[in-house]
């Protein structure tokens, strides 16, 4: 049937787009369609999802803290950024329990994917979803690479391949985003208390530049041009 053939047709269209050099444009269109749906879910259930994630992670002794766009919104606008379509939170890698997927599932979260470095098995990011709201959980590491900082991985689209092909061949390129060491404390956000870095302003300057207090609706993931380092490591995705 037509519906049964949709995955096959999509793979064929992707191959054609890659061959014609149109893959990035096709992916951009697909991303915009998906983000419109996610933004609607964020408006309805964003805060509820953030509270549920905080409660689940606190229950096993972790400290989930706001990072990236969610931290920026909390600091600058005291709200979610209007054009954000998901939630960004961090967790120290040392606080991640092996059974986190089961613990999050008990709170109503479904794990969508997990990103890991194949050579070492290091898990660097997980994406969960609840009521249509995506929440990206970035793990922050503490080792000799950056003696005075902690850092997270950010991955990017493959240079030339469709993500499915990349995931079974050479994976995705990554950069490391180091942040100054900071304590974390609960601070008010939309009437609730969430962990945030006490050196939030320094974190945001490193992420978005000195003009981070000026809203930029056209900002995209590719604009991460402040302090970052190519890791030389490739990540792969475990799709649930």
């Amino acid at each position: 049937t037509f519906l049964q053939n949709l995955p096959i047709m999509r793979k064929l269209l992707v191959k054609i787009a890659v061959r014609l050099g149109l893959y990035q444009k096709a992916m951009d269109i697909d991303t915009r369609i998906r983000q419109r749906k996610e933004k609607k879910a964020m408006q309805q259930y964003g805060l509820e999802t953030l509270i549920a994630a905080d409660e689940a992670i606190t229950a096993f002794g972790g400290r989930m803290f706001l990072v990236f766009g969610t931290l920026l919104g909390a600091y600058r606008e005291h709200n979610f950024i209007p054009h954000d379509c998901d939630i960004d939170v961090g967790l120290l890698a040392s606080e991640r329990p092996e059974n986190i997927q089961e613990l999050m599932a008990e709170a109503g979260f479904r794990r969508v994917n997990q990103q890991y470095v194949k050579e070492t098995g290091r898990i660097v990011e997980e994406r969960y979803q609840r009521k249509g709201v995506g929440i990206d959980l970035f793990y922050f590491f503490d080792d000799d690479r950056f003696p005075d900082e902690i850092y997270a991985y950010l991955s990017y689209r493959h240079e030339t391949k469709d993500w499915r092909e990349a995931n079974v061949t050479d994976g995705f390129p990554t950069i490391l985003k180091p942040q100054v060491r900071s304590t974390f404390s609960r601070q008010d956000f939309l009437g609730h208390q969430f962990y945030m870095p006490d050196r939030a302003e320094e974190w945001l300057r490193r992420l978005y530049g000195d003009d981070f207090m000026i809203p930029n609706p056209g900002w995209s993931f590719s604009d991460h041009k402040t302090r970052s380092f190519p890791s030389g490591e490739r990540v792969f995705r475990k799709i649930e």
Side-chain angles (χ1 to χ4, degrees):
T1 67
F2 176 76
L3 290 176
Q4 290 174 328
N5 289 329
L6 274 178
I8 298 174
M9 294 170 61
R10 187 185 185 284
K11 288 182 180 180
L12 178 60
L13 290 172
V14 167
K15 287 183 178 180
I16 294 172
V18 170
R19 188 166 297 177
L20 295 177
L22 301 175
Y23 174 66
Q24 294 298 337
K25 290 184 179 180
M27 286 300 296
D28 288 341
I29 293 172
D30 182 69
T31 297
R32 285 198 292 271
I33 294 173
R34 173 176 50 80
Q35 286 180 344
R36 278 200 293 268
K37 182 178 180 180
E38 292 174 344
K39 285 178 184 177
K40 184 176 180 179
M42 271 286 291
Q43 293 171 357
Q44 292 181 292
Y45 304 114
L47 179 59
E48 177 184 326
T49 298
L50 185 60
I51 293 171
D54 178 64
E55 291 176 346
I57 292 174
T58 299
F60 63 69
R63 290 171 300 167
M64 182 198 82
F65 49 89
L66 308 189
V67 294
F68 300 122
T70 304
L71 177 62
L72 177 62
Y75 188 92
R76 187 181 69 198
E77 301 175 38
H78 310 294
N79 205 334
F80 294 113
I81 295 175
H83 57 272
D84 260 3
C85 57
D86 58 15
I87 297 170
D88 299 321
V89 296
L91 182 69
L92 297 179
S94 59
E95 295 182 357
R96 179 188 183 274
E98 288 295 324
N99 64 336
I100 188 171
Q101 182 178 7
E102 291 77 10
L103 296 172
M104 294 295 285
E106 292 174 2
F109 288 89
R110 177 178 66 88
R111 190 167 71 186
V112 178
N113 65 58
Q114 180 187 85
Q115 297 194 32
Y116 64 97
V117 179
K118 182 177 287 187
E119 292 80 0
T120 62
R122 170 176 276 187
I123 297 167
V124 301
E125 181 187 342
E126 291 179 308
R127 182 175 178 85
Y128 289 89
Q129 193 174 66
R130 183 179 184 273
K131 293 189 175 181
V133 179
I135 182 164
D136 291 325
L137 179 56
F138 295 88
Y139 294 109
F140 281 74
F141 298 88
D142 178 3
D143 59 41
D144 293 339
R145 292 202 215 190
F146 304 97
D148 301 317
E149 299 163 303
I150 59 175
Y151 64 92
Y153 289 73
L154 294 183
S155 64
Y156 289 82
R157 290 177 182 170
H158 191 280
E159 295 84 348
T160 59
K161 298 176 183 176
D162 161 56
W163 76 265
R164 290 176 177 79
E165 182 183 359
N167 207 41
V168 297
T169 54
D170 56 337
F172 305 88
T174 63
I175 59 173
L176 304 180
K177 297 294 291 187
Q179 287 290 3
V180 293
R181 290 183 185 275
S182 177
T183 53
F184 301 93
S185 61
R186 287 194 176 275
Q187 302 174 44
D188 183 76
F189 178 53
L190 296 176
H192 298 269
Q193 298 288 310
F194 299 101
Y195 281 109
M196 301 185 203
D198 292 317
R199 302 175 72 176
E201 182 174 340
E202 293 174 75
W203 280 42
L204 292 169
R205 287 187 186 280
R206 284 193 171 203
L207 287 168
Y208 303 108
D210 290 336
D211 59 350
F212 73 90
M213 289 298 288
I214 302 174
N216 179 10
W219 190 92
S220 70
F221 190 72
S222 61
D223 292 331
H224 273 287
K225 302 186 186 303
T226 51
R227 183 174 168 79
S228 59
F229 300 88
S231 72
E233 297 170 290
R234 311 281 288 194
V235 298
F236 293 77
R237 299 174 186 172
K238 178 182 177 182
I239 310 298
E240 304 294 340

